[in-house]
């Protein structure tokens, strides 16, 4: 297991170099048999969205990215103390598939489990009407992470106000 | 942010002049391209050859531009995408709503 923690202060974000720093670690530590190009592509778009999410949302002063690499898994964990995802404030029933966005291309779902973790996944939709472009959503952050990951979970700790995004890619 | 490379009877060819297409410039990009669509009333071909990476904010801006163009019965065509950028569009299936070509000549010879 290889593990490294990166901390980025919002006041000094340099997205491109911050992302490259993380990708450099992943590239160095992946096992020789791992599909390196595919994993680096997925890690790049996931880390980009995680850091962009911190930049966009109020209350985030710093972001911690923790990368763990084991024999068959790459985990990327983001922790910040900004405002929680609005999903957490809705009283969704436990273990129920809730569509949180829907267009002609995808339906993105969230499932809240009994441990107050939100799991994201999506279905692709068979596009029948190419002209219905006005129906396409303009927010892709959660969708990109969901589609690049094998597992994507969000947890908000009400006591510590910690947002934790955990992404796993299997290889 | 963008530069007009060619202005023909039927279309405008523009080039994105930044390598990082992200949250920092997506609003400006959207405003500039929509202004071009309104002013020229022509299909816009956007050359991405200088763009090394793109994030969800910029993809959102692209979709907003496409919606604006379709509302005017025009189109937005993407050319010169690097592999990573093209792969990201394919991942979220935006390759099914945008016309994408390797380069400008391919785009105009269809």
């Amino acid at each position: 297991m290889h593990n490294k923690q990166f901390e980025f202060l919002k006041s000094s974000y340099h997205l491109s170099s911050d992302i490259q720093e993380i990708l450099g670690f992943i590239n160095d530590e992946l096992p020789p048999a791992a599909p390196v190009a595919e994993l680096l592509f997925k890690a790049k778009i996931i880390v980009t969205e995680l850091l962009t999410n911190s930049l966009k949302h109020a209350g985030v002063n710093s972001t911690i990215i923790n990368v763990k690499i084991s024999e068959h898994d790459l985990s990327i964990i983001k922790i910040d103390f900004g405002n929680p995802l609005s999903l957490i404030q809705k009283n969704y029933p436990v273990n129920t598939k809730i569509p949180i966005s829907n267009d002609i291309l995808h339906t993105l779902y969230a499932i809240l489990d009994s441990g107050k973790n939100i799991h994201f996944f999506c279905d692709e939709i068979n596009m029948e009407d190419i002209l219905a472009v006005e129906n396409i959503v303009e927010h892709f952050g959660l969708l990109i992470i969901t589609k690049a990951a094998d597992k994507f979970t969000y947890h908000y700790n009400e006591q510590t106000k910690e947002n934790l995004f955990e992404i796993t890619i299997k290889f | 942010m963008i530069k007009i490379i060619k202005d023909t009877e039927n279309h405008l060819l523009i080039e994105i002049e930044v390598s990082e297409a992200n949250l920092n410039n997506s609003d400006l990009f959207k405003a500039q391209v929509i202004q071009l669509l309104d002013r020229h009333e022509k299909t816009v071909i956007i050359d991405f050859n200088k763009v090394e990476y793109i994030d969800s904010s910029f993809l959102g801006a692209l979709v907003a531009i496409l919606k604006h163009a379709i509302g005017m019965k025009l189109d937005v065509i993407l050319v010169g995408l690097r592999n990573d950028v093209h792969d990201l569009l394919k991942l979220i299936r935006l390759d099914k709503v945008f016309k994408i070509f390797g380069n400008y000549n391919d785009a105009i010879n269809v």
Side-chain angles (χ1 to χ4, degrees), chain B residues 1-6 12-18 29 32-33 36 44-47 50:
Chain B
M1 179 73 224
I2 55 174
K3 184 164 81 178
I4 297 177
I5 305 294
K6 198 171 279 194
L12 281 177
L13 171 64
I14 64 171
E15 184 181 61
I16 300 173
E17 295 204 284
V18 296
F29 171 72
Q32 290 185 344
V33 180
L36 287 178
V44 173
I45 301 174
I46 305 176
D47 190 338
K50 290 185 177 161

Side-chain angles (χ1 to χ4, degrees), chain A residues 4-68:
Chain A
K4 187 168 179 181
Q5 184 168 296
F6 303 82
E7 183 166 6
F8 304 105
L9 297 175
K10 190 171 183 175
S11 55
S12 59
Y13 269 180
H14 297 287
L15 270 179
S16 182
S17 56
D18 293 344
I19 294 163
Q20 286 309 321
E21 188 184 349
I22 295 171
L23 294 181
F25 169 73
I26 295 171
N27 189 42
D28 290 345
E29 303 299 344
L30 281 173
V36 176
E38 180 192 340
L39 290 170
L40 286 176
F41 168 69
K42 289 180 173 177
K44 181 181 178 181
I45 60 177
I46 288 168
V47 171
T48 298
E49 293 310 320
L50 290 175
L51 291 178
T52 302
N53 173 275
S54 292
L55 271 177
K56 267 184 184 175
H57 292 103
V60 179
N61 296 316
S62 72
T63 300
I64 292 168
I65 301 278
N66 202 333
V67 180
K68 294 178 186 172

